[in-house]
């Protein structure tokens, strides 16, 4: 990825926030994953955590319910409410 150009097609609307986040996640997806702190979802400032994929897998396996309660997976549907 270093030294390569990547483009993310923006719409120049408020939707660009999550278009950008999803685009960045696509660039790092082989090694890392971005998740949203669920408690920040309804606020005007969203908080994210980026961890290695293996660490997310371990958290999801060890604490599946708590992981879903605390973090929201970034998917195509997620946007500011």
């Amino acid at each position: 990825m270093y030294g390569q150009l990547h483009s993310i097609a923006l719409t120049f609307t408020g939707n660009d926030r999550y278009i950008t986040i999803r685009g960045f996640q696509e660039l790092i997806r082989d090694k890392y994953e971005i998740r949203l702190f669920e408690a920040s979802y309804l606020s005007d400032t969203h908080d994210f955590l980026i961890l290695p994929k293996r660490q997310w897998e371990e958290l999801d396996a060890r604490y599946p319910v708590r992981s879903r309660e605390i973090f929201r997976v970034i998917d195509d549907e997620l946007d500011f409410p």
Side-chain angles (χ1 to χ4, degrees):
M1 185 162 64
Y2 180 76
Q4 297 176 354
L5 295 178
H6 300 277
S7 64
I8 297 172
L10 300 179
T11 62
F12 299 97
T13 68
N15 295 334
D16 285 348
R17 292 171 282 220
Y18 272 90
I19 290 171
T20 303
I21 291 165
R22 283 189 288 273
F24 179 65
Q25 178 158 279
E26 185 65 25
L27 294 175
I28 65 170
R29 71 183 165 101
D30 291 339
K31 294 184 181 183
Y32 298 94
E33 182 179 345
I34 306 168
R35 292 195 188 179
L36 170 69
F37 278 93
E38 184 68 44
S40 74
Y41 181 57
L42 294 177
S43 74
D44 63 350
T45 305
H46 290 185
D47 300 320
F48 299 92
L49 181 61
I50 301 173
L51 291 176
K53 288 186 77 136
R54 187 167 30 127
Q55 195 167 356
W56 281 120
E57 291 166 0
E58 291 169 5
L59 284 171
D60 290 343
R62 190 165 184 183
Y63 308 104
V65 174
R66 287 298 286 158
S67 181
R68 284 191 305 274
E69 290 173 351
I70 296 172
F71 300 104
R72 183 176 283 212
V73 172
I74 307 297
D75 60 21
D76 290 340
E77 305 299 317
L78 187 61
D79 203 344
F80 274 85

